[in-house]
Amino acid sequence: MEFAAVIHRPDSEMAYFKNDVFQIRLKTKRDDLKKVALIYGDPYSLISENLDPFYQHPQPMDKILQDQYYDYWELEVRLATKRLAYAFVLVDSDDEAYYYNDQGFWPVDHDASLNNANSYFRLPYGHEIDAIHVPSWVAGTVWYQIFPERFANGDPTNDPAGTKSWNPQDHPSRTAYYGGDLQGIIDHLDDLENLGVTGLYFNPLFLAPSNHKYDTIDFFQIDPHFGTNQLFGELVQAAHQRGMRVMLDAVFNHLGINSPQWQDVIRHGQESVYADWFHIHQFPVTYKSTSNPEYSPAISYETFANNPQMTKLNTANPEVQAYLLSIATYWVKEYDIDAWRLDVANEIDHHFWQAFHQRMLDLKPDFYILGEIWHRAQAWLNGDQFSGVMNYPYAGLIIDGIIKRQLSLNQLSAGLSRQLMLYRDQTNMLMFNTLDSHDTARLMTMAAGNYRLVELAIAFLILQPGMPSLYYGTEIGMAGNNDPDCRKPMNWQPDAKGRNLAQQIKKLIAFRHRYGALLTAGKIKFVVVDPDRIQVVRFNDHQQIIGDFDLGSNSYQLQVK
């Protein structure tokens, strides 16, 4: 037995409370153990003379997933008292057995610690308020991401100077404008409803000088080139009438250099009332121009990604905290938005996000909070900060395994299993799964123009735990390399291949909705049939869905049993 490979952490994604049960997991070296059992009970029962000691009744654990190096074991247990003491019984291939508890490993014939409650792993009490909350509307949502400047031009009278004609075949520059606006989105809500979309995620809408709006000037004002605050309210109302939720993009890591706060710092230097709102190393604030003036390391203040146009906020400052929380509160209270997507969320301190989380749930108990984090995110997903994150590592495995074939199917299965085991089940239900976005190359380009492969990849995606999201135009096969090429104007007149792809994706979304209860909360396993064929199995006690994906022929079947 490889003792060093046996891993468990209480009060984490490996031991947590959900839906009135305790979920217990154990991680062991792949194929090292023949079986694992759990001994568990109320710790106070050990001092009762009227009860059999719970350690006399081990319960077998299920091996639920494997990655390249580990097996993952799991068992759900229920206790009326909601106080849990537990330990593991490990049996290796030679039938040697050991106890594993909070004090380490012990031969099973060494029972001195079995009657000592303090030797066990403990979850002191299962408070429902501490469990990860899954708002009833969120897990079943199919999201659609809109880059507002490129979706539809519904009102040419608000176009910026120099707006180009709407051409989906263009290769946009970083500074190009095409006139997309809120009215254009409203005009096409029926199209999105027909597709099956139930959630709209908008890239930033607030006043800013760029086409992408991540360099905010005023968070309380819709950019006039998009429309007005009143028109945004009408958009939210129209979306809600169609059963769609609305998520805005909060750029709380930084402000644009044209913001009044930063302009005050430029004018007044260290005497500015906003001097402490930012991370400034020396006054006056300066940066050295280069051949690419948008990016320069020679700056005297901290920024987003060395971009001097985006000045990093000091979220440890109580005034900054109050300002940002007032923004978040305003759009919830005044316009009834349902969710925030938090830009560059990993570069903002945890204390602020905890305050943000509490404020949003006080306003709206079923609010959804999505963090933009591209890496392992456990520290933000313990129920006190974010509901979920943009699940780029998970999507990246699908792209590398299904689209690019840079991973074997065994590696894909192992990688997806490893990612799922990083988080609680409830958290996996709330992850935002997208195969392309405004920050990546488009799916069709990654698939080298293969429409069948794109459809297969989206079918694979809709079977995964978490919420599927489409980037605008993915449903009709729009192509584009990395930013800014992935931000082309929406093609509202797709060819026959694009229209057919949209019809197939519409069917897949309908399938997701039809079997939403199973596809959001059911268990999952991956079965590699051969080097070109993998099955995704979603199941519960009553039903199972088998997705059979053949990458040799780029075909798939979805079967419900």
Side-chain angles (χ1 to χ4, degrees):
M1 185 182 301
E2 190 70 60
F3 292 104
V6 178
I7 298 172
H8 178 76
R9 289 188 302 116
D11 202 17
S12 73
E13 72 281 354
M14 304 187 82
Y16 57 94
F17 192 64
K18 72 162 190 175
N19 300 332
D20 213 32
V21 300
F22 293 98
Q23 191 100 359
I24 307 299
R25 294 173 180 166
L26 182 72
K27 184 174 173 181
T28 66
K29 180 182 176 182
R30 183 177 175 126
D31 299 327
D32 189 42
L33 299 185
K34 181 186 293 186
K35 57 186 178 180
V36 174
L38 190 73
I39 52 176
Y40 67 91
D42 186 326
Y44 297 108
S45 69
L46 293 174
I47 60 176
S48 173
E49 297 179 357
N50 301 320
L51 297 174
D52 289 335
F54 61 72
Y55 53 77
Q56 294 181 0
H57 307 284
Q59 298 296 312
M61 300 184 73
D62 295 323
K63 185 192 297 186
I64 57 168
L65 291 169
Q66 286 184 316
D67 66 24
Q68 288 174 291
Y69 306 108
Y70 292 99
D71 291 331
Y72 297 89
W73 307 80
E74 185 176 83
L75 184 68
E76 292 184 353
V77 301
R78 189 186 304 269
L79 281 179
T81 61
K82 298 184 181 180
R83 297 183 295 261
L84 186 66
Y86 62 97
F88 303 92
V89 183
L90 315 176
V91 181
D92 65 15
S93 56
D94 297 323
D95 287 324
E96 291 191 31
Y98 293 85
Y99 291 125
Y100 172 46
N101 62 19
D102 197 45
Q103 306 301 316
F105 300 92
W106 307 92
V108 290
D109 58 1
H110 180 86
D111 58 2
S113 64
L114 290 178
N115 283 302
N116 179 3
N118 292 324
S119 70
Y120 289 86
F121 294 112
R122 296 283 292 273
L123 291 177
Y125 192 87
H127 295 278
E128 194 62 46
I129 196 171
D130 292 331
I132 303 296
H133 176 54
V134 181
S136 59
W137 67 270
V138 177
T141 303
V142 174
W143 291 96
Y144 191 89
Q145 180 187 352
I146 293 176
F147 193 83
E149 216 283 318
R150 304 294 161 79
F151 187 65
N153 188 345
D155 181 7
T157 65
N158 62 21
D159 287 358
T163 294
K164 301 181 66 175
S165 61
W166 198 268
N167 183 359
Q169 306 306 317
D170 269 1
H171 297 280
S173 70
R174 293 193 179 278
T175 57
Y177 287 89
Y178 291 86
D181 52 31
L182 296 183
Q183 187 59 55
I185 297 169
I186 293 172
D187 293 343
H188 289 283
L189 285 178
D190 288 344
D191 296 326
L192 299 179
E193 182 182 18
N194 182 59
L195 184 62
V197 169
T198 53
L200 303 176
Y201 156 41
F202 299 114
N203 289 108
L205 295 170
F206 308 125
L207 178 64
S210 64
N211 55 36
H212 54 72
K213 310 302 178 190
Y214 281 98
D215 49 349
T216 314
I217 294 176
D218 184 354
F219 283 105
F220 291 95
Q221 180 183 351
I222 296 293
D223 193 289
H225 295 307
F226 290 158
T228 63
N229 288 29
Q230 179 181 347
L231 187 61
F232 174 72
E234 295 172 10
L235 168 56
V236 174
Q237 187 175 41
H240 284 171
Q241 289 171 350
R242 292 168 172 79
M244 298 177 186
R245 303 290 179 141
V246 174
M247 178 162 62
L248 293 185
D249 208 327
V251 191
F252 288 171
N253 178 66
H254 49 267
L255 287 178
I257 59 171
N258 293 319
S259 65
Q261 295 90 342
W262 186 250
Q263 288 298 307
D264 193 86
V265 170
I266 290 176
R267 287 193 300 270
H268 301 291
Q270 201 162 359
E271 302 305 314
S272 170
V273 294
Y274 299 109
D276 291 334
W277 279 43
F278 306 94
H279 299 274
I280 300 172
H281 302 305
Q282 66 181 45
F283 293 91
V285 292
T286 58
Y287 70 91
K288 179 181 178 182
S289 297
T290 66
S291 58
N292 182 357
E294 201 175 357
Y295 293 93
S296 168
I299 48 184
S300 63
Y301 50 91
E302 294 186 25
T303 67
F304 164 67
N306 295 324
N307 184 336
Q309 310 296 322
M310 301 182 187
T311 58
K312 183 172 175 60
L313 284 163
N314 175 17
T315 54
N317 183 326
E319 293 179 359
V320 174
Q321 294 176 14
Y323 169 66
L324 296 178
L325 291 175
S326 69
I327 294 163
T329 299
Y330 174 78
W331 293 98
V332 177
K333 290 183 69 173
E334 299 299 324
Y335 297 94
D336 197 27
I337 67 167
D338 307 285
W340 280 110
R341 182 262 191 187
L342 308 173
D343 188 59
V344 203
N346 60 327
E347 296 189 19
I348 297 175
D349 61 275
H350 293 288
H351 292 90
F352 173 75
W353 288 136
Q354 288 164 344
F356 178 91
H357 173 273
Q358 191 62 53
R359 178 69 62 85
M360 293 303 97
L361 267 64
D362 285 345
L363 290 170
K364 208 169 187 178
D366 66 347
F367 201 78
Y368 177 62
I369 303 173
L370 174 67
E372 185 207 12
I373 294 180
W374 290 62
H375 52 79
R376 186 178 299 199
Q378 288 132 313
W380 291 269
L381 295 173
N382 290 312
D384 61 345
Q385 295 178 65
F386 307 157
S387 312
V389 297
M390 300 189 75
N391 209 5
Y392 282 116
Y394 202 84
L397 288 163
I398 297 173
I399 291 167
D400 288 345
I402 298 292
I403 298 292
K404 298 180 179 179
R405 299 303 305 272
Q406 294 175 347
L407 299 176
S408 71
L409 293 183
N410 282 319
Q411 289 172 322
L412 173 62
S413 170
L416 295 176
S417 298
R418 181 178 63 254
Q419 287 295 319
L420 289 170
M421 290 294 97
L422 292 176
Y423 307 110
R424 298 165 174 83
D425 282 350
Q426 303 103 302
T427 301
N428 283 324
M429 292 166 62
L430 300 177
M431 292 298 221
F432 189 90
N433 296 333
T434 184
L435 295 175
D436 54 0
S437 74
H438 67 293
D439 283 327
T440 72
R442 283 191 171 271
L443 183 59
M444 184 60 74
T445 293
M446 291 187 281
N450 189 325
Y451 282 77
R452 293 178 66 185
L453 185 56
V454 167
E455 180 187 337
L456 182 147
I458 293 173
F460 193 91
L461 185 74
I462 65 109
L463 294 187
Q464 306 306 310
M467 300 171 294
S469 176
L470 293 173
Y471 183 44
Y472 80 97
T474 294
E475 74 276 16
I476 55 171
M478 284 183 62
N481 283 302
N482 288 315
D483 167 27
D485 199 48
C486 59
R487 304 174 181 182
K488 296 178 180 181
M490 176 68 174
N491 183 3
W492 290 110
Q493 295 180 319
D495 60 16
K497 284 186 175 181
R499 294 194 299 272
N500 179 68
L501 179 62
Q503 286 301 311
Q504 297 307 115
I505 291 176
K506 178 181 176 179
K507 293 177 182 177
L508 289 171
I509 293 174
F511 184 90
R512 174 79 185 195
H513 290 316
R514 185 179 309 122
Y515 299 103
L518 177 55
L519 291 174
T520 56
K523 301 293 185 181
I524 189 169
K525 66 178 179 180
F526 305 100
V527 180
V528 177
V529 180
D530 61 44
D532 288 324
R533 186 174 159 213
I534 186 171
Q535 293 180 340
V536 179
V537 184
R538 300 299 307 275
F539 62 98
N540 57 27
D541 293 337
H542 312 290
Q543 195 176 43
Q544 70 174 354
I545 295 172
I546 302 174
D548 197 322
F549 299 89
D550 188 336
L551 300 183
S553 60
N554 288 332
S555 62
Y556 67 93
Q557 291 184 335
L558 305 181
Q559 185 178 10
V560 182
K561 293 184 177 181

